[in-house]
Amino acid sequence: MKYTPWFGPMTKPVRRGVYQRRHKALHFSVYSYWDGKQWFLGCETPQLAEIEPMLSVNQNNFMWRGIHG
């Protein structure tokens, strides 16, 4: 997979879809779906993130970056 640069948690993605997110203090990464307004819970794979039904309570604690391929 190819990735974009990291963006800060206050910058929101322009497009809906799955992104990689990294906690700014704990330094672990997950994949989360962005619906255009809110993040959903983090998952181990992009495929699982696409179907995750629960919203993330940590909307602004994660940096994010786009994924390609």
Side-chain angles (χ1 to χ4, degrees):
M1 266 186 249
K2 294 182 182 180
Y3 300 94
T4 67
W6 288 103
F7 292 89
M10 299 311 286
T11 302
K12 303 303 180 203
V14 175
R15 294 177 183 85
R16 295 177 183 190
V18 175
Y19 294 84
Q20 186 178 41
R21 296 177 76 201
R22 182 175 74 191
H23 194 280
K24 60 186 178 182
L26 301 177
H27 303 293
F28 65 88
S29 295
V30 294
Y31 294 95
S32 296
Y33 185 79
W34 170 254
D35 73 355
K37 295 180 184 177
Q38 302 178 92
W39 290 106
F40 287 75
L41 284 180
C43 299
E44 289 183 34
T45 69
Q47 295 81 10
L48 290 174
E50 284 187 295
I51 60 172
E52 174 56 55
M54 295 187 67
L55 290 173
S56 172
V57 295
N58 293 309
Q59 292 290 317
N60 296 317
N61 290 332
F62 287 78
M63 298 172 61
W64 63 272
R65 64 182 176 178
I67 55 176
H68 305 282

